[in-house]
Amino acid sequence: AQSVTQPDIHITVSEGASLELRCNYSYGATPYLFWYVQSPGQGLQLLLKYFSGDTLVQGIKGFEAEFKRSQSSFNLRKPSVHWSDAAEYFCAVGAGGATNKLIFGTGTLLAVQP
Amino acid sequence: DAGITQSPRHKVTETGTPVTLRCHQTENHRYMYWYRQDPGHGLRLIHYSYGVKDTDKGEVSDGYSVSRSKTEDFLLTLESATSSQTSVYFCAISETSGGSTDTQYFGPGTRLTVL
């Protein structure tokens, strides 16, 4: 069965520091992978996605993620965090196909210290 | 932003009462989904639709039903609300079921409290 693990429930970084949020997935074939961000009281906004091709994908707001098949990982990175990046981040894996269902991780809450 | 609205945005109800949440889209997308979000669980799929009158169950469908009589509207009904259904409910839409357009876009959510 498909599953997504986000090992870090809560992370605190200083403004201007680099960030890496971890995501590991379990899926038999080549997955569709997504990162979403949720600001407090808001819906989910797509940051980036991986379907095929280049394993390093660029997203909005200066984020990038790298697909590593050998490690079943899709970690999210940002070189310099801004206070406005404080939010909850969700990794998701999709099977595509006839239903396009997504399986979400439990999320990582990011706090940014001034 | 994808044209997705949810109504109501907030609702408080009592145990045993029926509740219907509405998701409306203006994108003419074929696929629509209902998720619930709970702390420590992320988002879990309740039901989804792959066309008008075509729906199927997700992983947490017990106690919920859905209907889709028009492309733009997807209704989620709690037949008899229970306190365990207190949650934030999100609707999502997707244009296709494969390829690079296979991305779900989310509505703003409905916060439901069952007393």
Side-chain angles (χ1 to χ4, degrees):
Chain A
Q2 301 162 50
S3 65
V4 176
T5 301
Q6 293 180 248
D8 304 305
I9 297 173
H10 189 273
I11 284 182
T12 300
V13 299
S14 298
E15 190 168 17
S18 63
L19 172 69
E20 181 168 25
L21 302 183
R22 296 182 291 164
C23 173
N24 293 96
Y25 68 90
S26 173
Y27 184 64
T30 299
Y32 294 168
L33 294 162
F34 305 81
W35 275 101
Y36 287 87
V37 60
Q38 183 181 32
S39 298
Q42 304 297 312
L44 278 74
Q45 181 183 21
L46 179 69
L47 280 177
L48 48 79
K49 60 189 178 185
Y50 171 79
F51 284 80
S52 64
D54 192 347
T55 57
L56 183 64
V57 294
Q58 302 297 320
I60 62 172
K61 305 185 180 187
F63 285 91
E64 67 177 26
E66 186 171 12
F67 170 58
K68 293 185 176 180
R69 184 188 301 276
S70 61
Q71 298 178 19
S72 297
S73 69
F74 189 56
N75 294 348
L76 182 71
R77 301 193 295 247
K78 187 170 185 178
S80 179
V81 169
H82 188 262
W83 65 265
S84 61
D85 293 324
E88 190 158 22
Y89 292 80
F90 292 94
C91 180
V93 61
T99 62
N100 189 24
K101 291 188 285 186
L102 291 182
I103 302 297
F104 282 85
T106 52
T108 297
L109 186 62
L110 174 67
V112 180
Q113 288 182 333
Chain B
D1 291 342
I4 310 169
T5 57
Q6 293 185 230
S7 58
R9 294 293 314 279
H10 302 271
K11 187 172 182 65
V12 179
T13 191
E14 294 186 348
T15 298
T17 60
V19 177
T20 295
L21 308 182
R22 180 182 184 235
C23 177
H24 179 77
Q25 59 143 329
T26 58
E27 306 296 325
N28 200 36
H29 283 2
R30 178 181 176 186
Y31 295 83
M32 299 185 75
Y33 309 82
W34 276 108
Y35 293 88
R36 60 177 291 172
Q37 183 180 28
D38 304 289
H41 291 277
L43 279 81
R44 293 178 291 173
L45 183 65
I46 305 171
H47 281 281
Y48 63 98
S49 169
Y50 45 97
V52 174
K53 298 191 189 307
D54 292 323
T55 65
D56 205 349
K57 297 178 180 180
E59 62 177 308
V60 291
S61 59
D62 287 349
Y64 301 95
S65 63
V66 290
S67 66
R68 191 167 177 204
S69 58
K70 298 184 291 184
T71 297
E72 58 265 36
D73 289 325
F74 192 32
L75 304 180
L76 177 71
T77 297
L78 291 64
E79 302 289 349
S80 178
T82 67
S83 58
S84 65
Q85 294 176 311
T86 292
S87 186
V88 181
Y89 291 85
F90 287 99
C91 173
I93 65 174
S94 175
E95 183 175 6
T96 70
S97 65
S100 61
T101 54
D102 195 6
T103 298
Q104 292 185 22
Y105 298 95
F106 286 79
T110 293
R111 182 174 297 277
L112 176 67
T113 301
V114 184
L115 301 176

